[in-house]
Structures are given as C-alpha cells and as structure tokens.
C-alpha cells in the first residue's frame, strides 16, 4: 500500500513521502501528516533481536512506501555508521529506578543527530526520485542543537546548500562554537538579533513567500527544511522509541506487552510527537509525559486546553527548549480535531493573529495519552546534582528537566509503571551549567577547563565533537536583525 501525506490545513491535496520530504512545509503553511497511521508489521518478539539499523528499516518502510527497499536500506546504512561512538547507536542506561535512552552518541552529541544523520540521504534520494534539477537550499532555525546537526549532515552534500539561523546569546557557548566553526563550502550560519521564536517565524515566512519562491526557481534553487516540521526528520525519531521498548523486553526489564511511560523534554514538540506516533504504531506506551522548562507553554496547554504564547520569554540552562511556539503541536491539534483541516487552520490563524487559541472540550478529552510537567531552574540543577550524588550519572540540563518532571509525575499520580526518559544531549554540551549544578565551586572556572573536570567526575571520555572545537577556527560571523532574514538569504545565494 502506498502511504500518502496531506497538509494539516488542506485535506484535499496529497503527496508521496518523498515529495513531502522535499517540500518540508506544505504550500499552505501546514505540516505534512500521513493520511492514516501505519502499524508495525513485525512483533516485539522479532524486534527485540534486531539491530538499530534493522529496527529503522522495519519502522521507516511503513511511512516511506515510495522508497524501494534498496534505497531505504542505503539511507539507513549511510546514516547509522561510525559517526556514532557506539555500535548500538542509542544505548539504554538504567539510572536509579528509570531507564535513560541516550540519544547523544552521534557526531554533534545531541538527539538531533538521530534524524539529521539520515535526512540528507532521504532528501537527495527524494530529489532523484522526483527528477529535481534545482539546488536544494536547506533553511533552518535552531534553538541550539538542530543547527549543528543539520550543518554536519549536509556539509558538502552535492546539490544542497544549508543556511542556519540561531538566536545570538540564546544558545550555549559550546553550541555556538559548534556552529560557527562548521566547515563545508555549502554552509552558512547567521546569528539573528532576537530569540528562537523570531528565527522560526522568519523561516516559516520565507517558506510561505511565493514571490521569493519564484525568484529562487529562476536562479535554480528550491527551499527545503531540516527542522522537525519536515516529516523526513520526524519519522526517524519514531524509530528509537520502538527500539527502546524492544531492548527493555530483550533485557527482561519488562514483561511482553507491559506498558511503559515515556518522559520527553521538549520545546518544539517533535520528539514527544515521535513517541506518540510510536504508540499509534502499536508500541505499548501508556503515558507520554511532556517535560517543559520555565517556558512552560506546553505544560499550561495540557493543563488548560489554551495555548498562549503571550508571556515573557525566559532564557534558561536548557536553551533547546526555550521556545514559545511549538511548531509540531499542530500535527497533534490536527489529530485531536478529528483530521479537520478547517478547524486546524482556524486555530493556527488565531495563534498568528492573537498569539493564542483554545481547543474544544471534545479535543481536550483526546489528550488523555499525555501528561505535562515543568521544572524551574533550581529544580533542574537539583536534579543534576541529586542524580550525580546518588548514582554517579551525569546528565545535561534538558534531560534533568525530564528527570525532575518524571519523578514529580510518579509522586503525584501514584503511577508506578516503568519509566523511559529521552536523554537528549551530552552533558559536555552544557558543561558550565552541569558542573556548577554538581558543585558551585566550578562556577568561576572557564568553559574548556570544566570539560576536563567533567571527564573526571563522570568517568566518560571527552567526545570528539568537543575536542574538535577547542582549537577550531571561527568561519561564520554573519549577523542580521530578525526582520532582515529574507535579505540575508538573498545575499548568501547571490540573488
């Protein structure tokens, strides 16, 4: 069966998986969703003995039905190879009474590598399938991790260019250095004067700009996206939740069919949406626990049914979650609206015009799969410190947000199911926050000295991605105002 995709804002128009990957965003500004949710055609008993690569094929073939077996397996083999520092790709680690799914063993030591290692291969394969002759310009906004992972994935990939916008002073020093030292003749990095939401809104506006699209076409370019709005990034994320459940089963940590809860630290809602899709495919997940930092727009939404971005934007120690417009939530809104494109459009128009929307009581009832929680800065730091003192395990601030929320959910709900936590970044990426949380004496030390202290404290080796930036040359110094992103893109592409 050929699975097609439609826009959340227009149910009439359908495209194939490869067309959806190429476009990134639907022409009407909506996000592509599968016409129906596919199911796994292998049992957990079979999955538990599969490698990560085999699991990826079992999951992704259900979503990408216009790719041949050879094409899809080639993309998977190119993505999940020695770029990862462990053969298992996504290790499961027992920490106290929870299981951490470590998603940070790729080239840029954050979970974005899990999908952005494969997206360039999916995209170039899609371009060939659809006889695209234009150069593909990947346009991406980042709150810290997507940018570097996308740059690393697309650097010097023939037929592509990549332009990344990030908020100046809105990412960690390591995150910034990882981006501005990126090599590759086809890479551009721009610091915008504004926050992540400004960058993301600007990128979406460029996608919707038909006049610009025409100018690009005339010059031989077309836009695509590496953000989680691209279905080619979301589908590979579904894989690791399927893999994690199968491995818990293999390790006899759970009984066959036993339901687990999954806690995900999320700002843009893509990572937890992937877990929701895994549940829809047949993985026995009970609750999906959405963990927010002090920018708790998602927590408030799950509690009240009102999404309201009209609030102070807080810069936290978990910058990848410093987001007030959670793009991927639109896919869930569309689902709980009963696949009603008109209702979805109405709510998204309200968000654009007034910065808020209210879902109906019937829609709110369909959110029972989800629970929400948030961690303050103090609670995040305490989670890092307490976990280290009790187990010796060091986690980054994003994972610490999830650990705090997971513990609070357990206590408040009395739900004692086994808990999986998505561990989304290496502590080395946020070394200042992590080491200061462990002991305040580290607060006065400079970032690179702290890397050696973290190595000693955690008993882990400094990742190559960190060693690399210690002496790397800064190659990207471009900056622009948030309202000048279009001019900057035209300048970079010489249009």
């Amino acid at each position: 069966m050929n699975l097609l995709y439609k826009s959340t804002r227009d149910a009439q128009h359908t495209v194939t998986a490869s067309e959806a990957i190429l476009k990134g965003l639907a022409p009407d500004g909506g996000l592509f969703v599968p016409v129906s949710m596919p199911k796994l055609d292998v049992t957990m008993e079979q999955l538990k003995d599969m490698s990560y690569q085999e699991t990826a094929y079992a999951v992704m073939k259900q979503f990408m039905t216009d790719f041949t077996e050879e094409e899809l397996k080639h993309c998977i083999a190119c993505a999940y190879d020695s770029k990862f520092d462990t053969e298992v790709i996504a290790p499961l680690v027992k920490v106290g009474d929870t299981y951490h799914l470590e998603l940070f063993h790729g080239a840029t030591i954050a979970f974005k590598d899990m999908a952005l290692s494969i997206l360039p291969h999916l995209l170039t394969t899609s371009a060939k399938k659809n006889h695209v002759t234009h150069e593909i310009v990947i346009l991406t906004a980042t709150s810290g991790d997507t940018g570097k992972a996308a740059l690393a994935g697309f650097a010097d990939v023939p037929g592509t260019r990549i332009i990344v916008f990030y908020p100046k002073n809105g990412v960690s020093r390591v995150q910034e250095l990882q981006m501005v030292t990126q090599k590759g003749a086809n890479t551009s990095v721009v610091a915008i004067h504004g926050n992540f939401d400004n960058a993301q809104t600007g990128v979406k506006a460029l996608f919707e700009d038909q006049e610009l699209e025409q100018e690009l076409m005339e010059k031989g370019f077309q836009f695509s996206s590496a953000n989680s709005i691209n279905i080619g990034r979301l589908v590979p994320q579904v894989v690791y939740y399927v893999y994690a459940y199968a491995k818990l089963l293999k390790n006899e940590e759970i009984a066959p069919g036993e339901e687990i809860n999954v806690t995900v630290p999320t700002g843009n809602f893509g990572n937890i949406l992937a877990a929701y899709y895994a549940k829809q495919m047949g993985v026995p997940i009970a609750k999906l626990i959405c963990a927010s930092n002090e920018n708790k727009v998602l927590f408030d939404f799950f509690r009240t049914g009102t999404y309201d971005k009209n609030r102070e934007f807080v810069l936290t120690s978990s910058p990848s979650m410093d987001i007030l417009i959670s793009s991927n939530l639109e896919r869930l809104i569309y689902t709980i609206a009963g696949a009603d494109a008109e209702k979805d459009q109405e709510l998204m128009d309200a968000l654009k015009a007034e910065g808020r929307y209210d879902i109906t009581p019937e829609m709110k009832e369909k959110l029972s799969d989800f629970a929400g929680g948030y961690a303050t800065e103090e609670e995040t730091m305490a989670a890092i410190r307490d976990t280290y003192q009790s187990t010796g395990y060091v986690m980054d601030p994003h994972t610490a947000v999830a650990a705090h929320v997971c513990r609070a959910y357990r206590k408040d709900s009395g739900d004692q199911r086994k808990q999986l936590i998505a561990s989304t970044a290496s502590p080395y990426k946020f070394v200042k926050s992590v080491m200061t949380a462990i002991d305040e004496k580290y607060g006065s030390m400079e970032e690179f000295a702290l890397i050696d202290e973290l190595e000693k404290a955690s008993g882990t080796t400094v990742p190559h991605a960190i060693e690399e930036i210690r002496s790397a040359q800064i190659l990207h110094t471009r900056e622009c105002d948030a309202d000048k992103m279009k001019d900057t893109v035209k300048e970079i592409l010489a249009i």
Side-chain angles (χ1 to χ4, degrees):
M1 191 193 95
N2 197 18
L3 181 67
L4 295 173
Y5 290 78
K6 58 188 174 182
S7 166
T8 48
R9 302 185 194 181
D10 173 14
Q12 304 311 309
H13 183 60
T14 57
V15 295
T16 62
S18 62
E19 287 171 327
I21 290 165
L22 276 173
K23 289 176 189 296
L25 194 67
D28 52 26
L31 308 188
F32 287 114
V33 288
V35 168
S36 60
M37 188 56 66
K39 300 282 184 232
L40 289 165
D41 67 352
V42 283
T43 64
M44 281 296 161
E45 197 57 36
Q46 291 167 297
L47 280 161
K48 75 179 179 38
D49 294 317
M50 288 188 190
S51 67
Y52 192 86
Q53 294 83 345
E54 289 165 339
T55 308
Y57 179 68
V59 174
M60 291 174 66
K61 72 174 185 183
Q62 300 294 350
F63 286 97
M64 298 180 176
T65 53
D66 65 327
F67 283 69
T68 65
E69 180 177 347
E70 187 188 4
E71 285 168 340
L72 197 47
K73 284 186 171 172
H74 174 74
C75 290
I76 290 165
C78 289
Y80 304 113
D81 58 8
S82 59
K83 289 191 287 296
F84 287 79
D85 64 20
T86 166
E87 277 184 23
V88 296
I89 308 297
L92 260 180
V93 180
K94 193 166 185 182
V95 181
D97 58 359
T98 58
Y99 304 89
H100 281 232
L101 178 62
E102 290 189 345
L103 301 171
F104 53 77
H105 288 273
T108 76
I109 56 176
F111 82 97
K112 309 289 169 81
D113 289 323
M114 301 300 294
L116 285 164
S117 295
I118 194 166
L119 183 61
H121 303 289
L122 294 173
L123 198 68
T124 48
T125 304
S126 296
K128 281 190 199 117
K129 292 176 87 63
N130 290 280
H131 313 293
V132 169
T133 53
H134 290 135
E135 198 163 7
I136 296 165
V137 180
I138 306 299
L139 201 58
T140 293
T142 185
S143 54
D145 289 335
T146 287
K148 173 59 184 179
L151 287 160
F154 282 96
D156 292 323
V157 169
T160 68
R161 302 261 196 114
I162 177 161
I163 304 171
V164 169
F165 290 97
Y166 75 94
K168 191 170 172 60
N169 303 323
V171 299
S172 81
R173 183 64 182 143
V174 167
Q175 285 176 315
E176 182 171 46
L177 282 171
Q178 281 190 302
M179 288 189 280
V180 297
T181 58
Q182 176 66 50
K183 294 175 182 161
N186 63 338
T187 63
S188 298
V189 179
V190 186
I192 72 152
H193 306 140
N195 60 36
F196 170 72
D197 286 328
N198 301 136
Q200 180 167 253
T201 302
V203 163
K204 284 188 96 171
L206 291 174
F207 271 99
E208 291 169 32
D209 188 329
Q210 290 176 340
E211 188 186 312
L212 179 61
E213 184 184 20
Q214 198 52 48
E215 283 184 73
L216 287 167
M217 297 287 266
E218 284 164 14
K219 295 288 184 181
F221 297 115
Q222 73 180 65
F223 280 149
S224 189
S225 170
N227 278 78
S228 52
I229 53 176
N230 192 321
I231 199 77
R233 216 186 102 177
L234 188 61
V235 169
Q237 292 180 265
V238 178
V239 174
Y240 47 74
Y241 292 109
V242 177
Y243 179 76
Y245 187 91
K247 288 299 171 259
L248 284 170
L249 196 58
K250 184 182 174 68
N251 300 343
E252 298 181 353
E253 299 284 355
I254 53 174
E258 182 181 343
E259 287 190 327
I260 62 166
N261 292 335
V262 178
T263 305
V264 186
T266 188
N268 222 5
F269 206 73
N271 203 2
I272 194 164
L273 184 72
Y276 177 69
Y277 277 17
K279 176 173 178 162
Q280 304 279 301
M281 288 190 90
V283 179
I285 295 170
K287 279 283 182 203
L288 298 145
I289 301 158
C290 179
S292 301
N293 64 18
E294 288 182 9
N295 293 292
K296 56 188 181 66
V297 65
L298 286 166
F299 167 75
D300 290 339
F301 167 73
F302 283 113
R303 195 169 49 88
T304 65
T306 297
Y307 191 93
D308 189 350
K309 76 174 184 74
N310 301 313
R311 62 183 70 205
E312 186 192 352
F313 181 89
V314 187
L315 286 173
T316 72
S317 59
S318 47
S320 299
M321 296 156 67
D322 290 347
I323 292 170
L324 295 179
I325 303 173
S326 306
S327 274
N328 268 290
L329 186 63
E330 182 172 349
R331 286 187 166 111
L332 181 65
I333 294 296
Y334 177 76
T335 303
I336 63 172
D340 183 339
E342 278 183 32
K343 183 65 181 172
D344 179 80
Q345 181 78 60
E346 176 198 316
L347 296 175
M348 295 308 128
D349 286 347
L351 182 64
K352 199 168 184 177
E354 296 145 39
R356 53 166 289 157
Y357 59 78
D358 299 282
I359 60 171
T360 65
E362 295 76 30
M363 288 169 74
K364 193 166 188 294
E365 272 176 34
K366 292 181 186 165
L367 291 176
S368 58
D369 287 334
F370 292 88
Y374 77 99
T376 63
E377 281 293 272
E378 291 74 22
E379 287 164 341
T380 304
M381 294 303 121
I384 294 172
R385 184 175 60 253
D386 297 349
T387 302
Y388 177 66
Q389 286 172 353
S390 61
T391 66
Y393 187 79
V394 182
M395 56 189 171
D396 90 291
H398 302 77
T399 308
V401 166
H404 171 84
V405 168
C406 174
R407 194 159 53 240
Y409 169 79
R410 245 188 189 154
K411 185 166 170 260
D412 297 344
S413 67
D415 184 342
Q416 291 305 307
R417 289 185 184 93
K418 307 263 170 54
Q419 281 278 6
L420 181 73
I421 289 177
S423 185
T424 53
S426 164
Y428 285 96
K429 207 154 190 174
F430 303 94
V431 64
K432 187 95 173 174
S433 300
V434 169
M435 292 309 291
T436 310
I438 287 172
D439 193 324
E440 284 179 1
K441 72 178 184 189
Y442 293 115
S444 58
M445 288 177 69
E446 69 93 24
E447 200 118 358
F448 284 111
L450 285 172
I451 286 166
D452 301 318
E453 294 298 323
L454 175 54
E455 184 173 40
K456 282 184 253 175
S458 64
T460 58
T461 309
V462 177
H464 175 67
I466 296 293
E467 288 292 5
E468 207 175 30
I469 59 169
R470 285 192 197 234
S471 56
Q473 184 188 349
I474 289 174
L475 303 171
H476 303 276
T477 55
R478 198 186 293 262
E479 297 183 15
C480 80
D481 291 336
D483 61 354
K484 293 283 185 285
M485 288 168 63
K486 180 175 176 175
D487 296 341
T488 305
V489 167
K490 289 174 78 165
E491 190 184 303
I492 289 167
L493 299 174
I495 292 176

